[in-house]
Amino acid sequence: MSELVCDPAELRELFLFEKLTDAQLAWLCRDGRVELLEPGLAFREGEPATCFYVLFDGELRLTKLSAGTEIELTRTDHRGSYVGAWTAYLGDRADQHYTATMYITRPSRFFVLNAETFAAMMREWFPMAVHLLEGAFFGNRDKHERVAERERLLALGSLSAGLTHELNNPAAAAVRATSGLRERVAGMRHKLGMMAQGKFTPEVLVTLVRLQEDAAELVAKAPELTPLEAADREDAIGDWLEEHEIADGWNLAPNFVQAGIDVDWLERVAGTLEGCTEVVFEGAIRWLNYTIETELLMNEIADSTTRISTLVGAAKQYSQMDRAPFQVVDVHELLDSTLVMLNRKLGDGIALVKEYDRSLPPIPCYAAELNQVWTNLIDNAVYAMNGSGTLTVRTYRDGVCLAVAIGDTGPGIPADVRRRIFEPFFTTKPVGEGTGLGLDISFRIVVNKHHGDIEVASEPGSTVFTVRIPLERPAEAE
């Protein structure tokens, strides 16, 4: 790099400065400088923006980091092209870092102003323009933040409603099972009273206790039956109970079937109790039925409370409650927690297909914010399918990145819309149903915060959003 003489007349030839006065051009030459830059790196994305560059002659190339790879944004030799600290006049309220990386492709001459000098020039010479630019910049930013905050609150409300609905089902099941369990325990106490009155001999009591343990073990190992298989077994057991003069045996048969008990097992029970009176035999059968019902109800309570615990765990994973904002996590845990939170929106008409590559390593990321990305993409996919279709969530390795592909079988996104879907406030949803910020927020989280990439491929019947997150945190992001 070498510094050259600044000529006010040459400055006037640049479109940025053609309307300035002679005094202003002299001021620029006094406080600015002309530099000759050799081919190579001029400045890197993310570094403090210290200078404002205007091209006299030569060529520059601008790149931006995306998913661990530098993507070329532009290559130009246009005289007067400007880059660098062009928002310095906005002060500390705006991010004052280079938003791209600049390479020089051949020896090039630039007019260069320090950021502080450029800011002072703008405020002194163009105060009205600065005020207008500040209003546009900060007004749009404030509007964006306010609407984005509202969208997050709306999403939170929707997820909370869905979570409440999901929690209500197992909670209600647990309440019903608890009530039923209370009735069965009362029945068992009644049978214990009969035993205490001497209607069962000690030998029969020992046998009943052993049969009770056997029945409890059978409940734990009960096989899954098809509806046809279950109906056939219920008929067979109902007939057997009727033959043995067990009153209301058809109401007992489903419980025995659900417990995995068949006619052969009941025959062994009958053989064990051979010689007992009809009263004792029927009492033993009903005692076993109470045991089975008690085990089944306790299983239902256990399943319901486990479901509640799983939902609460998914909610904590989704919100990343009590966890550091930046952490190393398994992306599949994030995806699963998001799917649990959105389960109610899927309904019965949307089939979920998960194609996870479990060999993928954990990734460094802002977990809660990635969950917001998955929420936006899955919610949009569900909306596009209008209650019927297939939602596919796939993970795989793509070079130095972990890729997450979320696809739907909706009507697709027209080409003219695809070009604008990541623009803030652009939406194809009816008024009141979308703010147009979901994909914009997702883009910012993936690209700006995680140095990743997000893209979409769409045709009728297949739309796939692919998010790529670097497997390792880029050094400049530390």
Side-chain angles (χ1 to χ4, degrees), residues 192-235:
L192 284 173
M194 292 175 59
M195 294 176 184
Q197 294 172 9
K199 293 184 177 181
F200 293 84
T201 65
E203 293 78 9
V204 171
L205 286 176
V206 171
T207 300
L208 282 177
V209 170
R210 180 169 53 79
L211 290 172
Q212 185 181 41
E213 294 298 328
D214 291 344
E217 290 181 9
L218 283 173
V219 172
K221 302 175 183 177
E224 290 286 337
L225 301 176
T226 66
L228 184 59
E229 289 173 332
D232 289 343
R233 286 200 181 188
E234 286 178 16
D235 289 341

Side-chain angles (χ1 to χ4, degrees), residues 227-402:
L228 184 59
E229 289 173 332
D232 289 343
R233 286 200 181 188
E234 286 178 16
D235 289 341
I237 291 177
D239 291 339
W240 188 91
L241 293 172
E242 187 175 11
E243 290 170 5
H244 288 76
E245 299 180 352
I246 304 298
D248 202 23
W250 292 103
N251 286 332
L252 304 183
N255 294 332
F256 286 114
V257 171
Q258 195 174 351
I261 289 173
D262 55 17
V263 170
D264 291 340
W265 193 85
L266 290 174
E267 286 290 355
R268 289 197 296 273
V269 172
T272 302
L273 297 174
E274 190 174 359
C276 295
T277 65
E278 292 182 2
V279 173
V280 171
F281 181 76
E282 182 169 353
I285 294 296
R286 294 196 180 280
W287 172 262
L288 291 174
N289 180 63
Y290 282 134
T291 299
I292 291 168
E293 286 189 314
T294 300
E295 288 294 321
L296 292 173
L297 288 169
M298 286 193 294
N299 286 347
E300 187 174 346
I301 292 171
D303 290 343
S304 297
T305 52
T306 299
R307 174 64 177 160
I308 291 171
S309 179
T310 300
L311 287 167
V312 172
K316 288 184 68 176
Q317 173 72 290
Y318 180 84
S319 65
Q320 294 296 299
M321 190 188 313
D322 301 328
R323 302 188 185 188
F326 186 81
Q327 54 188 295
V328 178
V329 298
D330 183 347
V331 74
H332 303 108
E333 294 180 0
L334 304 183
L335 290 167
D336 283 342
S337 67
T338 304
L339 288 168
V340 169
M341 298 295 288
L342 294 174
N343 182 63
R344 186 185 177 207
K345 287 196 172 185
L346 267 61
D348 297 327
I350 295 179
L352 173 62
V353 176
K354 294 195 288 188
E355 300 175 356
Y356 289 171
D357 180 358
R358 294 289 185 178
S359 67
L360 291 170
I363 58 171
C365 65
Y366 294 90
E369 297 191 34
L370 277 189
N371 280 339
Q372 189 174 1
V373 174
W374 313 142
T375 299
N376 290 336
L377 296 182
I378 293 172
D379 187 61
N380 284 347
V382 171
Y383 180 88
M385 290 186 283
N386 195 27
S388 178
T390 300
L391 173 69
T392 303
V393 182
R394 177 175 171 237
T395 63
Y396 60 96
R397 184 168 189 145
D398 188 356
V400 297
C401 294
L402 180 150

Side-chain angles (χ1 to χ4, degrees), residues 145-168:
E145 289 178 353
R146 183 166 297 184
V147 176
E149 182 66 26
R150 181 177 181 274
E151 178 158 292
R152 283 192 289 269
L153 289 173
L154 288 173
L156 179 61
S158 176
L159 290 172
S160 297
L163 180 61
T164 301
H165 177 80
E166 292 291 330
L167 286 170
N168 183 64

Side-chain angles (χ1 to χ4, degrees), residues 283 381 423:
E423 293 180 12

